[in-house]
């Protein structure tokens, strides 16, 4: 069964600290993996997209890594800010149907001053 | 949210009534999607459309209907047959670029009592 699992479910950190969110997937055949940021009550916004041949991709203070062999990805947030408080969703795309995405349940991150 | 609008932001309806959620995009994207988001669950695909006058059922289409008469618009009707309609509904659109990246609207929170 195609699944995306994220950990932890929730995370609390202090402003200025770094954190890493994890994503494991069992989706096959794999096309690409995306990380989205979703503020409460808003639509998700794309942070990074990686194909199987890309190991790392950065977007400002956000750095995503992908290990296609172990089917694991991580999202590292550097020098966290209060505005980083949001849910972070890992999403995997099937290669044979790019219209159907497999969504994780997200990690809820709270950054406190 | 850029380029995709959903209205209204909040919607309240009595049980047994049909309700239509609006989604408009000005990104010139061919594909459009409707998702449902419930607490603790990943986004689930309701319907999607790759071209005007054509659409396909997603994973949870029962109790919903859509139309795609214009490229810019993809309204979703939540019918009285949907058993648990209260949820956060997200519309997305996608171009046909290499990543088929989906851009999400701000969402509509529907409450049925």
């Amino acid at each position: 069964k195609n699944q995306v699992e994220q950990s932890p479910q929730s995370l609390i950190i202090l402003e200025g600290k770094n954190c890493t969110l994890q994503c494991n997937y069992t989706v096959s055949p794999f096309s690409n993996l995306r990380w989205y940021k979703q503020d409460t009550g808003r639509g998700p916004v794309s942070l990074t997209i990686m194909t199987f041949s890309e190991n790392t991709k950065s977007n400002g203070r956000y750095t995503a890594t992908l290990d296609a062999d172990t089917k694991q990805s991580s999202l590292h947030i550097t020098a966290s800010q209060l505005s980083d408080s949001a849910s972070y969703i890992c999403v995997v795309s099937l290669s044979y149907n790019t219209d159907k995405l497999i969504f994780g349940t997200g990690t809820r991150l709270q950054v406190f001053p | 949210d850029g380029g995709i609008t959903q209205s209204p932001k909040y919607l309240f309806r009595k049980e047994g009534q049909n309700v239509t959620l609006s989604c408009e995009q000005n990104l010139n994207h061919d594909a459009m999607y409707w998702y449902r988001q419930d607490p603790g669950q990943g986004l689930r695909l309701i319907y999607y459309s790759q071209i005007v006058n054509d659409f396909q059922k997603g994973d949870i289409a029962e109790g919903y209907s859509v139309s795609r008469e214009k490229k810019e618009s993809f309204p979703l009707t939540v019918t009285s047959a949907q058993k648990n309609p209260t949820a956060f509904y997200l519309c997305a659109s996608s171009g046909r670029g290499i990543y088929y990246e989906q851009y999400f609207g701000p969402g509509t929170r529907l409450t049925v009592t």
Side-chain angles (χ1 to χ4, degrees):
Chain A
K1 184 179 178 184
N2 291 317
Q3 281 188 313
V4 175
E5 295 184 348
Q6 295 186 243
S7 61
Q9 277 191 328
S10 61
L11 183 62
I12 297 174
I13 62 173
L14 293 177
E15 187 178 15
K17 298 297 186 182
N18 303 336
C19 68
T20 300
L21 314 180
Q22 301 290 343
C23 173
N24 296 335
Y25 61 94
T26 57
V27 178
S28 182
F30 168 87
S31 175
N32 58 66
L33 184 144
R34 312 151 188 229
W35 282 95
Y36 283 91
K37 177 186 179 186
Q38 184 178 24
D39 293 318
T40 301
R42 305 291 299 273
V45 175
S46 178
L47 295 175
T48 64
I49 300 178
M50 292 182 291
T51 66
F52 65 88
S53 62
E54 296 175 290
N55 298 119
T56 184
K57 183 166 279 189
S58 293
N59 178 359
R61 294 179 297 104
Y62 301 101
T63 300
T65 64
L66 173 64
D67 185 334
D69 292 330
T70 62
K71 298 187 176 180
Q72 295 180 324
S73 177
S74 65
L75 180 69
H76 186 74
I77 304 175
T78 304
S80 61
Q81 301 176 357
L82 298 179
S83 60
D84 291 331
S85 295
S87 288
Y88 292 84
I89 305 173
C90 178
V91 185
V92 179
S93 172
L94 292 162
S95 63
Y96 60 83
N97 187 342
T98 52
D99 289 303
K100 287 200 171 183
L101 304 178
I102 314 300
F103 288 81
T105 56
T107 292
R108 176 69 183 162
L109 175 65
Q110 293 179 277
V111 181
F112 287 108
Chain B
D1 302 342
I4 302 177
T5 58
Q6 292 186 242
S7 61
K9 179 70 173 174
Y10 299 96
L11 192 54
F12 297 89
R13 279 293 183 269
K14 293 290 187 183
E15 198 172 316
Q17 293 179 333
N18 292 352
V19 59
T20 297
L21 282 60
S22 167
C23 177
E24 304 275 334
Q25 55 100 358
N26 63 5
L27 301 169
N28 199 34
H29 285 166
D30 289 317
M32 296 187 72
Y33 311 81
W34 273 106
Y35 293 94
R36 169 182 173 138
Q37 188 173 35
D38 295 285
Q41 296 191 41
L43 273 68
R44 291 182 290 169
L45 182 64
I46 303 172
Y47 268 100
Y48 65 102
S49 168
Q50 296 172 318
I51 196 169
V52 173
N53 293 323
D54 187 45
F55 47 82
Q56 284 77 41
K57 292 181 179 180
D59 299 319
I60 55 166
E62 184 175 352
Y64 300 97
S65 66
V66 294
S67 63
R68 186 87 186 276
E69 298 177 0
K70 298 188 299 182
K71 186 176 185 177
E72 304 79 22
S73 178
F74 192 40
L76 173 74
T77 296
V78 184
T79 74
S80 56
Q82 167 51 231
K83 291 182 171 51
N84 296 297
T86 295
F88 188 51
Y89 290 88
L90 287 159
C91 177
S93 70
S94 170
R96 299 284 102 180
I98 184 171
Y99 290 123
Y100 295 85
E101 184 171 1
Q102 293 189 17
Y103 297 86
F104 287 84
T108 291
R109 185 165 298 281
L110 172 66
T111 302
V112 176
T113 57

